[in-house]
C-alpha cells in the first residue's frame, strides 16, 4: 500500500483495449478475449505484491504475452490456428479481410520469441528495453528478434511488407 | 498507427473489457436527487465509502486505505444502492449496513461514532458533538472530521448544524444538506398518521 499503487480499475479503464489487442494478435482473434480475461485475473491476483507503480502498462502487456503463450502450450500448437482466424473474421467487408488474414497467418507462423518480440514492440508499443524485460533477454536481442520477424514477414507477405502503414 | 494497428482496428468491435471476480473493494456510481454518490464495499461487504467526491478521488483513497484491488462492480452494491434509494424516497429511516470508516483518522472515527447516535429527524451542533466526545473546545476539528466523512448520509453528518442554527457546511453542498433535513423532518416516526397542519 505504501508504494502508491493506483486503483486497479484505473488500469482496466486505461489499458483494457491494449491488452485485448495484444492478446488477439498473439493468440488469434478467436482466443484473444479469453487470453485477455485470464491475463487480467492473473494481474489482479499479483497486483498487491508489486513493489512500485512504475511501468504498469508494460507489466500488464508482459503478463498478457505470457498468458497467451501458456494458453497455446496448454492446447498445443495446432494447424487450427489459421482456420480459427478465418472462422472469426467478420462476415461483412470480405475484401478488406484478406490482407489481415495473411498478416495474422504470417505472424502465427513465426517462431515464438520472434512473434512475441514483434507484437510487444509494434502492437504493445513497448520499447526494446521493455520487450527485453518481458522476454528475459537484452535490448539488443529484442532488436534482433524483431528484425528477424520482419524479415520472415517480408518473405511470407511479399517484399513490400513494412510494419509502417503504406 | 502501423500495419498491425490497422489490422487490429478491424477487430476492435469484438474486443471487450474483462469481467473480474469479486476482489478487495467494489464500488459503484449512484445517482440520486442529492447528487452523484460513489459507494463502495470491502470483501466482507462492509460499506467503506459513500461519498460525493469524484470517482477517481474516492477510488484513489480506497486504494490507499483499504487495498489497491479496487474495481467498479455495481452488482455488489445492489443492496447498498437500494437502501439509499429507499432513504431518499423517505421510506427508510436507518441503514441496515455494516460500515467501516477505514479512511478516517482515529479522532474522526470518534466523532463519527458519536454522530451515529443522533437519531433520524434530529439535529445537533458542532459544539454539542465536540462536548459529547469530551473535547468541548474542538468544534473546528469536529467540523473538519465531518467534512471528511467517508460515509455521508449513512453516517448522518447532515444532522450537524452551527450553534446559531445556520447550516454550516456540507460535502454535497448546502442544497443537499437542506434537502436531507427537510426529508427527515417530513418523515419523522409517527408523522405518517399525523393530520396535515
Amino acid at each position: 500500500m505504501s508504494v502508491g499503487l493506483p486503483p486497479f480499475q484505473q488500469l482496466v479503464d486505461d489499458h483494457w483495449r491494449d491488452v485485448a489487442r495484444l492478446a488477439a494478435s498473439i493468440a488469434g482473434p478467436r482466443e484473444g478475449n479469453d487470453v485477455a480475461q485470464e491475463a487480467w485475473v492473473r494481474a489482479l491476483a499479483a497486483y498487491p505484491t508489486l513493489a512500485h507503480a512504475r511501468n504498469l502498462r508494460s507489466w500488464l502487456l508482459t503478463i498478457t504475452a505470457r498468458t497467451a503463450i501458456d494458453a497455446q502450450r496448454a492446447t498445443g500448437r495446432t494447424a487450427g490456428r489459421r482456420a480459427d482466424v478465418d472462422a472469426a473474421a467478420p462476415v461483412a467487408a470480405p475484401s478488406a479481410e484478406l490482407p489481415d488474414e495473411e498478416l495474422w497467418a504470417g505472424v502465427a507462423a513465426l517462431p515464438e520469441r520472434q512473434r512475441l518480440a514483434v507484437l510487444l514492440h509494434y502492437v504493445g508499443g513497448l520499447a526494446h528495453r521493455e520487450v527485453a524485460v518481458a522476454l528475459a533477454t537484452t535490448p539488443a536481442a529484442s532488436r534482433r528478434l524483431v528484425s528477424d520477424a520482419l524479415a520472415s514477414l517480408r518473405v511470407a507477405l511479399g517484399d513490400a511488407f513494412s510494419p509502417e502503414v503504406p | 498507427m502501423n500495419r498491425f494497428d490497422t489490422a487490429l482496428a478491424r477487430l476492435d468491435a469484438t474486443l471487450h473489457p474483462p469481467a473480474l471476480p469479486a476482489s478487495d473493494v467494489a464500488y459503484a456510481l449512484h445517482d440520486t436527487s442529492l447528487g452523484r454518490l460513489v459507494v463502495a464495499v470491502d470483501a466482507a461487504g462492509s460499506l467503506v465509502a459513500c461519498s460525493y467526491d469524484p470517482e477517481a478521488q474516492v477510488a484513489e483513497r480506497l486504494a490507499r486505505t483499504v487495498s489497491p484491488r479496487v474495481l467498479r462492480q455495481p452488482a455488489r452494491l445492489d443492496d447498498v444502492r437500494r437502501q439509499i434509494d429507499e432513504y431518499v424516497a423517505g421510506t427508510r429511516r436507518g441503514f441496515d449496513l455494516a460500515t467501516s470508516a477505514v479512511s478516517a483518522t482515529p479522532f474522526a472515527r470518534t466523532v463519527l461514532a458519536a454522530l451515529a447516535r443522533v437519531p433520524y429527524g434530529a439535529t445537533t451542533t458542532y459544539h454539542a458533538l465536540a462536548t459529547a466526545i469530551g473535547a468541548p473546545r474542538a468544534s473546528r476539528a469536529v467540523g473538519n472530521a465531518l467534512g471528511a466523512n467517508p460515509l455521508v448520509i449513512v453516517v448522518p453528518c447532515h444532522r450537524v448544524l452551527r450553534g446559531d442554527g445556520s447550516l454550516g457546511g456540507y460535502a454535497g453542498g448546502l442544497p443537499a444538506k437542506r434537502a436531507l433535513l427537510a426529508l427527515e423532518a417530513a418523515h419523522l416516526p409517527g408523522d405518517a398518521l399525523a393530520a396535515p397542519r
Side-chain angles (χ1 to χ4, degrees), chain B residues 98-163:
Chain B
T99 61
S100 172
V102 278
S103 68
T105 64
F107 176 79
R109 276 187 231 189
T110 308
V111 174
L112 298 174
L115 177 58
R117 293 192 289 271
V118 179
Y120 188 92
T123 59
T124 185
T125 65
Y126 297 103
H127 178 69
L129 208 50
T131 304
I133 63 167
R137 298 161 72 123
S139 298
R140 186 175 295 273
V142 165
N144 290 340
L146 295 176
N149 179 7
L151 302 170
V152 298
I153 298 176
V154 175
V155 177
C157 57
H158 57 275
R159 292 176 196 155
V160 187
L161 308 176
R162 285 222 184 97

Side-chain angles (χ1 to χ4, degrees), chain A residues 9 21 33 37 100 122 163, chain B residues 2-3 10 12 14 19 72:
Chain A
Q9 185 65 48
R21 283 181 163 204
N33 277 317
Q37 168 74 24
D100 293 349
Y122 281 107
Chain B
N2 59 48
R3 183 69 186 80
R10 285 190 262 273
D12 267 355
T14 69
R72 189 169 51 239

Side-chain angles (χ1 to χ4, degrees), chain B residues 25-86:
Chain B
V25 184
Y27 74 89
L29 306 180
H30 189 55
D31 286 315
T32 74
S33 57
L34 303 162
R36 167 167 287 189
L37 295 169
V38 183
V39 286
V41 290
D42 65 13
S46 291
L47 190 72
V48 288
C50 182
S51 175
Y52 296 106
D53 291 336
E55 173 181 1
Q57 196 177 319
V58 178
E60 186 280 325
R61 189 158 60 227
L62 291 166
R64 190 159 32 82
T65 57
V66 184
S67 160
R69 289 196 285 211
V70 177
L71 292 169
R72 189 169 51 239
Q73 294 178 320
R76 286 185 62 200
L77 280 301
D78 281 351
D79 180 45
V80 169
R81 297 170 69 187
R82 182 180 51 78
Q83 291 196 32
I84 289 172
D85 284 345
E86 290 168 358

Side-chain angles (χ1 to χ4, degrees), chain A residues 1 5-9 13 16-17 20-21 29 33 37 40-41 44-45 47-48 96-97 99-100 103-104 107 122-123 161-163 165, chain B residues 1-12 14-21 23 27 59-60 63-66 68-72:
Chain A
M1 265 186 252
L5 294 172
F8 196 79
Q9 185 65 48
D13 291 344
W16 76 263
R17 191 169 289 281
R21 283 181 163 204
N33 277 317
Q37 168 74 24
W40 280 110
V41 170
L44 178 65
Y47 192 49
E97 286 307 308
D100 293 349
L103 175 66
W104 297 130
V107 166
Y122 281 107
V123 175
F161 177 81
S162 156
V165 176
Chain B
M1 288 289 280
N2 59 48
R3 183 69 186 80
F4 297 101
D5 288 335
T6 55
L8 285 163
R10 285 190 262 273
L11 287 178
D12 267 355
T14 69
L15 306 178
H16 53 73
L20 290 169
S23 191
Y27 74 89
E60 186 280 325
R64 190 159 32 82
T65 57
V66 184
R69 289 196 285 211
V70 177
L71 292 169
R72 189 169 51 239

Side-chain angles (χ1 to χ4, degrees), chain A residues 34-128:
Chain A
D34 286 348
V35 165
Q37 168 74 24
E38 171 63 18
W40 280 110
V41 170
R42 289 189 190 186
L44 178 65
Y47 192 49
T49 68
L50 283 184
H52 59 76
R54 296 188 298 275
N55 300 326
L56 291 173
R57 183 176 179 280
S58 174
W59 173 73
L60 285 168
L61 294 179
T62 300
I63 290 175
T64 306
R66 287 180 188 160
T67 305
I69 293 308
D70 289 350
Q72 272 176 10
R73 285 179 184 163
T75 56
R77 297 193 67 172
T78 65
R81 238 185 93 77
R82 177 146 201 189
D84 288 348
V85 173
D86 291 344
V91 187
S95 61
E97 286 307 308
L98 190 57
D100 293 349
E101 282 178 31
E102 286 181 348
L103 175 66
W104 297 130
V107 166
L110 293 172
E112 186 175 285
R113 288 174 70 77
Q114 283 186 28
R115 184 155 48 102
L116 291 179
V118 78
L119 294 173
L120 283 167
H121 185 62
Y122 281 107
V123 175
L126 298 193
H128 287 294

